[in-house]
């Protein structure tokens, strides 16, 4: 039994989100039954951050679920999710981007990805620094990768209470999005996603131009690790 009203939580979050902001329901560390409850309430987009947990769920859950890999993805795990993953939200190296391209090609797929930015002050967060991202794009090798589609940028704000700092980080990401869009993707309609905002900060994220929020706790309750 699930002792949390997943449908009601989804409804109240949905009511506060603009219609054009995509909601990724983050189901990591919650059993498949939680995903089923959200699915029954109409949710189709889910995020997971561990390959084995995701693969186990994807096997038993409905096939029209759009799975997002939102965590740090090791290159040796890409092959397991390449057949079905809808989006890899947190590409943090050229090496990973190339491996996704290679595995996607084996299945004759084009996999959507977001580039993860490291803007937060925490040393533990993954992602490209703004300069590393600039360098990677300027080098141009990504242009030859026919089996990945770069759809935008993703980031996590610092885990702090200071709302000002969180907004500064979101605004930095939004300004960087504009820079990259202008310099590399001006004619590319696929490059349009700005994925920031989690349970604690998604309202601020949307005010700072997020197009895709990733929400776990506020839907499914606290995770049991
Ligand atoms: C776990 C996770 C989330 C969801 O966090 P909540 O605070 O539970 O909403 C969002 N994004 C990423 C990358 C995560 O790892």
């Amino acid at each position: 039994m699930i002792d949390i009203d997943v449908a009601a939580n989804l409804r109240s979050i949905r009511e506060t989100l603009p219609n054009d902001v995509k909601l990724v329901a983050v189901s990591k560390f919650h059993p498949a039954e939680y995903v089923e409850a959200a699915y029954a309430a109409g949710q189709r987009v889910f995020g997971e951050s561990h390959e084995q947990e995701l693969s186990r769920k994807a096997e038993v859950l409905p096939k029209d679920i759009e799975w997002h890999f939102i965590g740090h993805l090791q290159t040796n795990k890409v092959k397991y999710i390449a057949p079905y993953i809808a989006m890899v939200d947190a590409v943090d190296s050229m090496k990973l981007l190339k491996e996704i391209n290679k595995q996607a090609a084996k299945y004759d797929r084009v996999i959507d990805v977001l580039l993860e930015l490291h803007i937060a002050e925490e040393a533990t967060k993954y992602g490209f620094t703004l300069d590393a991202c600039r360098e990677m794009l300027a080098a141009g090798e990504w242009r030859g990768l026919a089996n990945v589609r770069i759809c935008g940028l993703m980031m996590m704000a610092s885990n702090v209470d200071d709302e000002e700092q969180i907004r500064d980080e979101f605004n930095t990401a939004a300004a960087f999005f504009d820079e990259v869009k202008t310099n590399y993707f001006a004619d590319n309609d696929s490059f349009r996603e700005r994925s920031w905002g989690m349970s604690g900060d998604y309202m601020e994220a949307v005010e700072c131009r997020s197009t895709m929020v990733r929400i776990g706790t506020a839907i499914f309750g606290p995770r049991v690790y």
Side-chain angles (χ1 to χ4, degrees):
M1 270 302 289
I2 302 173
D3 58 1
I4 186 161
D5 194 340
V6 167
N9 292 344
L10 273 172
R11 213 177 312 119
S12 65
I13 291 165
R14 210 50 275 180
E15 275 166 10
T16 61
L17 288 179
N19 280 335
D20 55 355
V21 171
K22 189 163 195 163
L23 171 60
V24 180
V26 177
S27 48
K28 65 185 185 195
F29 293 98
H30 291 293
E33 290 71 28
Y34 285 67
V35 178
E36 282 168 345
Y39 185 91
Q43 180 68 25
R44 291 294 179 273
V45 185
F46 292 88
E48 289 279 339
S49 59
H50 293 94
E51 180 278 316
Q52 287 190 6
E53 182 182 0
L54 167 58
S55 291
R56 257 184 278 119
K57 286 176 183 166
E59 201 177 315
V60 299
L61 287 163
K63 299 304 168 207
D64 63 340
I65 287 178
E66 190 182 306
W67 291 106
H68 285 224
F69 199 92
I70 63 168
H72 173 63
L73 180 57
Q74 292 171 279
T75 49
N76 63 350
K77 301 288 173 66
V78 175
K79 56 180 176 286
Y80 302 118
I81 64 172
Y84 66 87
I85 197 76
M87 180 176 265
V88 179
D89 293 25
V91 171
D92 54 9
S93 70
M94 190 62 200
K95 184 177 166 218
L96 176 58
L97 189 64
K98 281 157 70 172
E99 179 63 14
I100 296 167
N101 184 68
K102 180 178 152 191
Q103 297 299 332
K106 286 188 186 165
Y107 296 95
D108 204 18
R109 298 190 64 209
V110 177
I111 296 181
D112 287 345
V113 304
L114 303 177
L115 302 178
E116 180 179 14
L117 301 177
H118 182 139
I119 292 172
E121 62 183 12
E122 278 114 79
T124 53
K125 292 211 157 76
Y126 290 101
F128 292 98
T129 63
L130 301 191
D131 277 338
C133 193
R134 284 183 185 109
E135 261 175 53
M136 191 275 275
L137 290 168
E141 192 181 4
W142 57 275
R143 293 183 195 274
L145 306 178
N147 295 83
V148 289
R149 180 164 42 225
I150 301 175
C151 295
L153 304 176
M154 173 271 197
M155 57 81 76
M156 278 191 278
S158 295
N159 187 16
V160 294
D161 291 328
D162 183 352
E163 199 181 301
E164 195 83 14
Q165 182 183 344
I166 291 168
R167 281 180 194 276
D168 279 351
E169 292 176 0
F170 288 152
N171 285 326
T172 298
F176 189 72
F177 175 92
D178 292 341
E179 175 188 323
V180 168
K181 177 80 182 166
T182 302
N183 290 343
Y184 297 100
F185 298 97
D187 300 326
N188 182 338
D189 290 339
S190 299
F191 188 90
R192 60 171 181 224
E193 303 294 354
R194 295 177 291 271
S195 180
W196 37 88
M198 311 176 16
S199 291
D201 58 18
Y202 72 89
M203 305 278 235
E204 291 82 5
V206 168
E207 284 168 23
C208 299
R209 301 171 54 213
S210 174
T211 61
M212 186 187 285
V213 293
R214 304 173 309 269
I215 300 181
T217 311
I219 299 170
F220 298 113
R223 289 177 281 275
V224 182
Y225 294 105

